[in-house]
Amino acid sequence: MPSTPPSPQPITPDPPEAIARPLLTQSWLDLTFVHWAVDPADVALLLPPGTVPDTLDGVTYVGLVAFRMHRVGWLRLPGVPYLGNFPETNVRLYSVDAHGRRGVVFLSLDASRLIPVAVGRLGFRMPYLWSRMRVEHLDGGTVTYTSSRRWPGPRGAGGRITVRRGEPIEEPTGLEHFLTARWGMHGAFFGRSMYLPNAHPRWPLHRAELLECEEDLVAAAGLPRPAGEPVSVLYSPGVPARFGPPARPAGIPTP
């Protein structure tokens, strides 16, 4: 596998293509993005075949993203009002494949609804885990996310994150675009490497102050425990999103 990807596509704040016929629709609400810088060599073996760490100035990142999933729906059907609404927290890495497609790789996705977790694990081979979770809005523009894993384990993994929302960001930095403007997901589905594209409006981002971060989800996902303060903490009220069918060429060739 090469140490650098061939000609990655440019980072754009808007999706490169619209998704006219969505496979999956949903909204992501009340998001907090917490990121730490990591050495690409430390995460390369955790990525799917045919992908390498996506880097900015030689550095890649691990993200802890907490939010509320809202009205998950199939095709063009209305989103499901109960089963499609739940808190979620994911641990993710940043990837690029041999076609230059930038994306994210999910190492874990903790969610509070058992049926969506079972469908994600059994139907799509996604690393969903069932957890007790809560998202609370407090006084002063603060939001708290709590979670504790139920199944399949490690039981009790989770934590508590509290942020204070700051001012809107008029023009995100290059790093902020790199971490949030992600228009696809790399993963292995039924033994094949796939790229699943997504599209949504441009992120409405706010700077955020991290008031509390007690978590062990990053370590439970197989990464070293984060050392030091995160390099980026952002908040967004959210966006509606669409996922398209697997992109062609469907397979990600292993270099």
Side-chain angles (χ1 to χ4, degrees):
M1 182 179 295
S3 58
T4 57
S7 303
Q9 294 175 347
I11 298 168
T12 60
D14 298 299
E17 296 181 6
I19 295 177
R21 299 178 179 274
L23 179 67
L24 191 66
T25 61
Q26 54 198 241
S27 289
W28 306 322
L29 305 178
D30 295 325
L31 298 97
T32 287
F33 302 85
V34 183
H35 284 92
W36 293 267
V38 293
D39 188 324
D42 291 340
V43 301
L45 294 180
L46 297 174
L47 301 180
T51 66
V52 295
D54 196 6
T55 61
L56 184 67
D57 298 326
V59 177
T60 193
Y61 297 86
V62 55
L64 184 65
V65 184
F67 63 103
R68 288 192 299 114
M69 187 77 82
H70 182 66
R71 294 189 74 98
V72 177
W74 293 101
L75 305 174
R76 297 187 180 184
L77 299 175
V80 180
Y82 175 74
L83 290 177
N85 298 340
F86 49 87
E88 181 174 320
T89 299
N90 63 62
V91 176
R92 71 189 201 182
L93 301 176
Y94 295 85
S95 52
V96 62
D97 64 28
H99 304 290
R101 299 178 295 203
R102 290 182 140 113
V104 298
V105 172
F106 293 110
L107 298 184
S108 64
L109 302 107
D110 284 76
S112 65
R113 290 271 187 266
L114 178 57
I115 290 177
V117 166
V119 170
R121 290 183 67 88
L122 299 176
F124 297 94
R125 303 300 191 266
M126 295 285 290
Y128 267 101
L129 305 115
W130 186 32
S131 296
R132 294 182 180 89
M133 309 186 79
R134 180 179 295 178
V135 180
E136 298 177 278
H137 286 266
L138 307 174
D139 293 337
T142 60
V143 187
T144 294
Y145 310 82
T146 56
S147 66
S148 178
R149 190 170 294 169
R150 290 172 157 175
W151 176 85
R155 192 173 178 84
R160 180 180 176 91
I161 301 169
T162 301
V163 298
R164 179 182 293 120
R165 183 179 67 251
E167 294 297 317
I169 300 174
E170 297 296 333
E171 183 54 45
T173 65
L175 175 60
E176 289 161 350
H177 279 314
F178 179 89
L179 297 174
T180 60
R182 292 280 145 175
W183 307 115
M185 174 181 67
H186 290 114
F189 301 93
F190 299 102
R192 296 184 62 195
S193 293
M194 290 287 188
Y195 179 77
L196 200 66
N198 71 75
H200 57 73
R202 186 177 297 205
W203 282 109
L205 294 173
H206 294 247
R207 306 223 184 275
E209 179 185 1
L210 187 62
L211 302 178
E212 182 180 19
C213 185
E214 298 179 0
E215 65 81 29
D216 55 8
L217 294 175
V218 172
L223 293 164
R225 187 176 297 276
E229 296 297 316
V231 297
S232 175
V233 182
L234 300 170
Y235 174 84
S236 177
V239 292
R242 292 180 162 205
F243 282 88
R248 296 183 179 277
I252 301 172
T254 302

